[in-house]
Amino acid sequence: MKRWFKMLTGSLAVVLFITFSCAAFAAAPVKLRTAWLDEHEAFLVWYAKEKGWDKEEGLDIEMLLFSSGMAQLNALPAGEWVLAGTGAVPGMMGALRYGTYTIAVTNDESYTNALLLRPDSPILKTKGYNKDYPEVYGHPDDVRGKTFLITTMSSPHFTLSHWLRVLGLKESDVTIKNIDQAQGLAAFDSGIGVCLWAPHMFFGIDKGWKVAGTPNTCGVGLPTVLMGDKKFCDANPELVAKFLRVFLRSANMLQKETPESLAPEYCRFFQEFVGKSFTPEMAALDIKTHPVFNLEEQLALFDGSKGQSKAAKWMADIAEFFAGVGRITPDELKVVKDGSYATDKFLKLVKQPIPDYK
């Protein structure tokens, strides 16, 4: 009897050990390697990680920092990341090169990409040369032959080219030098014109540089997006939906809180993740000039039930533009011209309601 009891209790202990071990293993968060740029949209996920919101969804989000969208894309074939916050231009190029998805819009950055000039630049003598764009500075005669620093195949590239278009010029009318954003900010100190995204543009403005044009003043939209590796997303749609839920929880916060109240955490984000110092005033301005979208607004942007969705049109317009300036070929344009890689299928899987951010 005692022997039987010992065997029973021993077997029960083994069963309990296995049961609890399996439960602990099942509860382990799933690691997600994600890629980001040194700008606004990365704050939403950084903040969520600080609050442990990814763990609440059963995720362990790892954030990798890249200098540009094209650098992100170059890391994709090696499997360095599966989800990324990036500009619409590399979002389009990702679909072209690797069949990536655009799964959400992170913010509207049409206000926060800018062509910056020195206060004494002759280009600033003329405002509203093209009457349809009264806030744009420049005259063709003052622009031809000038040199501009940009990160090519990026939102600053898009910005500069549209500014030239407003003035009736082409890229061939100026000299363009490719440089990453941090280098561009430093090189401009030597007297060269530069096109920057936020926060770099705010550092330039803080130095006294003047904005000659933005996508917004040039009459075009420019979103940043969440991009997903196709193979991963197709194999793990529920994980993608959980990631979106984490991101949208922060988006809800940004819509409801004041920029000033978030400025201290935003400054800490830039210091710890990016390695740059931000003043509270600059942080509040960066938040204020980056509108974000909640789940309902995201679904509306991606709704293709009555034809091409707004998000798909934004991406298609970017492809058309870069084909028009010869940066992608007509055959490449055919691959991305309808913007159908901007899909709502993962947004539709997001479990509601999204938890409160407080």
Side-chain angles (χ1 to χ4, degrees):
M1 184 71 174
K2 290 182 179 179
R3 182 181 177 187
W4 178 85
F5 181 74
K6 287 181 179 179
M7 290 176 62
L8 178 62
T9 54
S11 298
L12 181 60
V14 171
V15 170
L16 289 174
F17 175 79
I18 293 173
T19 300
F20 285 119
S21 296
C22 290
F25 180 77
V30 178
K31 287 189 176 293
L32 282 185
R33 289 174 63 83
T34 63
W36 302 93
L37 303 175
D38 53 350
E39 54 182 43
H40 174 271
E41 63 271 8
F43 171 69
L44 281 75
V45 175
W46 178 90
Y47 186 90
K49 280 184 61 63
E50 290 290 298
K51 295 295 185 181
W53 295 345
D54 57 336
K55 301 298 192 299
E56 291 180 28
E57 297 293 336
L59 303 176
D60 180 9
I61 299 174
E62 181 179 356
M63 299 181 68
L64 306 174
L65 182 62
F66 289 83
S67 62
S68 70
M70 297 310 288
Q72 289 174 318
L73 287 182
N74 291 337
L76 179 57
E80 290 191 32
W81 57 266
V82 294
L83 297 164
T86 193
V89 177
M92 178 272 293
M93 290 299 297
L96 175 61
R97 287 184 178 180
Y98 307 116
T100 57
Y101 290 124
T102 291
I103 62 172
V105 171
T106 55
N107 60 50
D108 176 359
E109 66 169 0
S110 63
Y111 303 88
T112 52
N113 272 257
L115 172 63
L116 296 173
L117 302 170
R118 294 185 176 283
D120 59 354
S121 171
I123 296 173
L124 293 170
K125 293 186 302 182
T126 306
K127 183 180 181 182
Y129 165 79
N130 185 330
K131 303 303 180 185
D132 292 332
Y133 305 94
E135 298 303 313
V136 173
Y137 286 86
H139 188 285
D141 294 342
D142 295 321
V143 173
R144 285 190 190 90
K146 296 296 189 297
T147 297
F148 298 95
L149 299 178
I150 64 169
T151 306
T152 56
M153 296 307 293
S154 67
S155 51
H157 191 164
F158 182 81
T159 300
L160 177 67
S161 292
H162 272 288
W163 177 73
L164 292 171
R165 172 189 57 80
V166 167
L167 299 179
L169 298 174
K170 300 177 181 179
E171 291 185 17
S172 57
D173 293 314
V174 298
T175 298
I176 292 175
K177 293 187 176 181
N178 181 36
I179 198 166
D180 72 35
Q181 292 285 286
Q183 291 172 327
L185 186 66
F188 192 50
D189 281 331
S190 301
I192 302 174
V194 70
C195 199
L196 300 171
W197 63 55
H200 303 282
M201 65 168 283
F202 292 127
F203 294 138
I205 291 171
D206 196 50
K207 291 172 178 283
W209 305 343
K210 303 300 180 183
V211 176
T214 67
N216 182 265
T217 60
C218 292
V220 291
L222 185 61
T224 58
V225 301
L226 288 177
M227 175 171 56
D229 174 65
K230 187 178 189 300
K231 183 178 179 180
F232 174 84
C233 291
D234 286 343
N236 303 278
E238 296 297 334
L239 290 180
V240 177
K242 287 181 177 182
F243 170 78
L244 287 170
R245 197 165 129 102
V246 173
F247 183 85
L248 291 166
R249 191 170 177 179
S250 285
N252 289 344
M253 175 194 67
L254 262 70
Q255 286 191 336
K256 295 174 183 177
E257 295 294 321
T258 65
E260 289 74 19
S261 69
L262 294 171
E265 284 295 275
Y266 202 77
C267 290
R268 189 164 72 88
F269 153 70
F270 262 96
Q271 187 64 59
E272 295 182 6
F273 183 65
V274 180
K276 291 185 172 68
S277 297
F278 239 34
T279 65
E281 294 77 17
M282 196 181 297
L285 179 61
D286 201 26
I287 296 169
K288 190 179 300 183
T289 51
H290 279 95
V292 296
F293 306 91
N294 61 31
L295 179 58
E296 183 180 21
E297 292 164 337
Q298 294 277 357
L299 289 168
L301 287 172
F302 283 79
D303 181 15
S305 61
K306 298 179 181 178
Q308 188 181 43
S309 71
K310 187 169 185 178
K313 186 177 188 308
W314 279 342
M315 304 306 287
D317 287 347
I318 288 170
E320 291 275 5
F321 170 77
F322 278 103
V325 297
R327 295 290 176 155
I328 64 174
T329 68
D331 285 342
E332 289 174 326
L333 176 61
K334 292 176 183 177
V335 178
V336 289
K337 68 180 299 182
D338 63 356
S340 59
Y341 55 90
T343 177
D344 62 0
K345 64 182 179 180
F346 304 105
L347 286 165
K348 287 180 176 178
L349 295 176
V350 173
K351 183 181 177 181
Q352 299 189 61
I354 293 171
D356 189 56
Y357 60 88
K358 292 185 178 179

